[in-house]
Amino acid sequence: MSRNSNSSRVSSRRRFLGGAAGAAGAGALGVLGLPGTAQAAAAATGTLYIASDSTAQTYSSGYYPQAGWGQKLSSYLTSNITVANRAIGGRSSRSFIEQGRLAAIHQVIKAGDYLFVQFGHNDATVGNAERYTSPADYKEYLRNDYIRGTRARGATPVVVTPVSRRSYNATTGKFNVSFPAYVDAAKAVAQEEGAPLVDLSAASRAYLDGVGVEASKGIFLWLNAGQYPNFPNGVQDNTHFQERGAVEMARLVARAVAGLGLPLSGEVLPGLAR
């Protein structure tokens, strides 16, 4: 996929959103989108939508113990919040839009709702033209489609940096930053647009550093042959999570949300996300 082709798609998306979205972006909140004290104190009700990839996806019992963090997020929130996990494997920020998946969310999202957006894993697959999105175009999709397009509908976008892979420095045992160009782009556009940011890249990496390289196999989808019926031959997967890992990543997201000062922050169950 050429850079010019991606750029034309970005321009097309910008024209499609137009007026109201641009106006919403111009009225952005502060750096982290922190509302006033009175607003933050109000109880939040509504739906939290997730636009993401296989790391956040909800998996059926036929994939157990594979799970995504979006599948487990509701465990950390009060019953005032409904989680609508629209994450699906193999999608990048661009293909999620091109396949009409973001439009489907925007058709039903309403004022008071939230859209959590986490991409980067598939955007970085240079050899796959269907998925690849340059960091610069990824940033503009986040800005124009996910952030401004969601605000135009009265809902709150929350940018989530891509969760870490099981990639580490063999000498130090410390985990590497996964997809650093996309992490930087997500953080930059959140800053520029005044959108709330969950830095799951940093939080997951710190968590994995604490767990350690060998024990991190129990976080990711590392399974022995015969251990689970759905994976009879076993698997060594450094990207996706087994249930424990999905639970821990969801906890990290919830803990970050609790500190954002949004109405949603008050719906994180106390104690569970620590």
Side-chain angles (χ1 to χ4, degrees):
M1 181 72 59
S2 70
R3 174 68 176 85
N4 288 338
S5 175
N6 272 345
S7 295
S8 66
R9 286 191 176 92
V10 172
S11 297
S12 175
R13 294 290 180 268
R14 187 176 298 114
R15 288 194 298 272
F16 173 77
L17 288 169
L29 298 169
V31 172
L32 286 177
L34 302 181
T37 303
Q39 182 182 359
T45 58
T47 302
L48 187 164
Y49 294 88
I50 300 173
S52 189
D53 52 36
S54 57
T55 62
Q57 182 178 335
T58 295
Y59 292 87
S60 69
S61 59
Y63 287 87
Y64 185 81
Q66 186 171 357
W69 63 259
Q71 183 174 351
K72 302 295 183 180
L73 187 58
S74 63
S75 299
Y76 294 99
L77 301 171
T78 72
S79 59
N80 290 333
I81 303 299
T82 299
V83 176
N85 189 9
R86 301 292 180 87
I88 186 167
R91 273 62 178 185
S92 64
S93 61
R94 173 172 61 84
S95 65
F96 196 89
I97 295 167
E98 291 179 342
Q99 293 173 7
R101 297 179 185 279
L102 179 59
I105 294 173
H106 280 167
Q107 285 174 0
V108 295
I109 203 168
K110 61 187 185 300
D113 289 345
Y114 295 84
L115 175 64
F116 280 47
V117 51
Q118 181 217 242
F119 289 104
H121 286 70
N122 294 308
D123 296 72
T125 52
V126 177
N128 188 322
E130 182 181 353
R131 301 178 180 183
Y132 176 67
T133 308
S134 72
D137 287 346
Y138 160 86
K139 182 180 179 181
E140 293 310 304
Y141 283 125
L142 291 183
R143 183 195 311 280
N144 295 304
D145 296 78
Y146 294 95
I147 296 175
R148 294 184 178 178
T150 298
R151 282 177 169 163
R153 290 155 176 85
T156 300
V158 177
V159 177
V160 183
T161 55
V163 68
S164 294
R165 298 184 70 249
R166 188 174 177 272
S167 169
Y168 56 89
N169 184 309
T171 301
T172 65
K174 296 296 183 182
F175 281 77
N176 300 319
V177 178
S178 300
F179 318 108
Y182 295 89
V183 172
D184 290 346
K187 291 164 71 173
V189 75
Q191 173 78 21
E192 291 162 11
E193 294 295 311
L197 175 73
V198 170
D199 193 355
L200 185 55
S201 170
S204 59
R205 192 168 68 255
Y207 173 78
L208 292 169
D209 281 341
V211 169
V213 169
E214 187 61 28
S216 68
K217 293 177 181 178
I219 298 299
F220 290 88
L221 199 62
W222 274 61
L223 309 174
N224 297 325
Q227 187 177 0
Y228 290 98
N230 292 324
F231 296 88
N233 299 319
V235 64
Q236 296 182 358
D237 183 336
N238 292 317
T239 297
H240 301 100
F241 303 107
Q242 54 181 294
E243 189 170 41
R244 178 192 165 198
V247 167
E248 292 295 346
M249 296 305 121
R251 179 180 62 81
L252 295 176
V253 172
R255 184 168 67 183
V257 169
L260 286 180
L262 297 168
L264 179 64
S265 303
E267 304 305 322
V268 176
L269 292 170
L272 293 185
R274 291 180 183 174

